[in-house]
Amino acid sequence: MSDSERELIGKLLNALADAPKVPEKMKWVKDIADPSTDLIKSLTQCFVSSLDDPKFCNSIIKALRLLYDTIPEIVLPQLESNKEFPNALTEYLIQIDKNDQEGDAYILLINLFEKCAFSEYSSKEFKKSMFDSLAIIQDEHIFESIVRLILTISSQESCGTIIHYCCNH
């Protein structure tokens, strides 16, 4: 990614994180996240094409999470519409060193997967990655999100891959 794209993501993060939740902020966030602006689409496409750059991916995940937390009803449908994004998130969680990952990726995943089936994205590597992450996650909300993902996948699968990882972890 170019330096200007990194700078823009940084400015977006600062604006989202530093602004108090006031009506002006809500209007601004709704305006910039409106589907007609393609902000969410652009962020997800940048994420999908930047898996080899963990720091940049982390910035995108943080921005998406802040946007989602502010206006989930506008952001979630746009995240769902990018069919490559859930797969890219799972690949990120498999490939990126656990200590370098942004835990918000799990929170975005659980919110995405509450509305669709996991089977398409839940490879053995992804399941193992979730269990491995539990050992280092410090944030209680992220830990709970991972456990919810594990339980949801377990309830949807017919074979016992999750049970196998539970027994061997």
Side-chain angles (χ1 to χ4, degrees):
M1 288 295 119
S2 71
D3 288 341
S4 64
E5 289 170 317
R6 289 177 196 283
E7 187 178 324
L8 288 173
I9 298 271
K11 286 181 180 181
L12 175 63
L13 278 170
N14 289 336
L16 289 169
D18 293 340
K21 288 196 174 192
V22 294
E24 294 83 26
K25 178 192 176 196
M26 294 299 292
K27 181 180 178 345
W28 174 74
V29 173
K30 284 181 181 179
D31 288 347
I32 66 166
D34 186 270
S36 65
T37 67
D38 284 337
L39 174 65
I40 305 300
K41 181 179 179 180
S42 296
L43 288 171
T44 56
Q45 288 173 340
C46 280
F47 180 83
V48 168
S49 65
S50 300
L51 287 175
D52 59 339
D53 187 348
K55 287 184 181 183
F56 187 63
C57 285
N58 289 348
S59 296
I60 294 170
I61 289 170
K62 286 178 190 176
L64 288 170
R65 170 73 194 282
L66 288 168
L67 288 163
Y68 173 81
D69 284 349
T70 307
I71 46 168
E73 70 280 2
I74 294 174
V75 174
L76 189 58
Q78 293 179 74
L79 292 177
E80 292 170 340
S81 70
N82 184 326
K83 301 304 179 196
E84 294 176 348
F85 184 63
N87 189 51
L89 272 175
T90 58
E91 286 303 310
Y92 164 87
L93 293 167
I94 292 167
Q95 295 174 12
I96 305 302
D97 183 272
K98 302 295 173 248
N99 294 313
D100 295 333
Q101 289 179 356
E102 179 58 45
D104 289 337
Y106 287 105
I107 294 171
L108 289 173
L109 264 181
I110 193 65
N111 288 307
L112 279 170
F113 285 151
E114 282 180 350
K115 298 201 173 200
C116 67
F118 285 92
S119 59
E120 188 176 338
Y121 308 106
S122 58
S123 66
K124 287 183 181 181
E125 294 83 11
F126 176 61
K127 293 170 190 170
K128 181 181 181 319
S129 176
M130 285 191 299
F131 275 95
D132 292 345
S133 295
L134 289 173
I136 63 166
I137 295 296
Q138 303 279 325
D139 184 283
E140 184 177 347
H141 188 67
I142 293 169
F143 188 89
E144 289 174 3
S145 292
I146 295 170
V147 171
R148 283 178 58 201
L149 277 170
I150 291 169
L151 292 173
T152 303
I153 291 170
S154 179
S155 71
Q156 292 179 359
E157 67 179 15
S158 57
C159 64
T161 309
I162 292 292
I163 299 299
H164 169 77
Y165 284 119
C166 285
C167 293
N168 294 313
H169 209 273

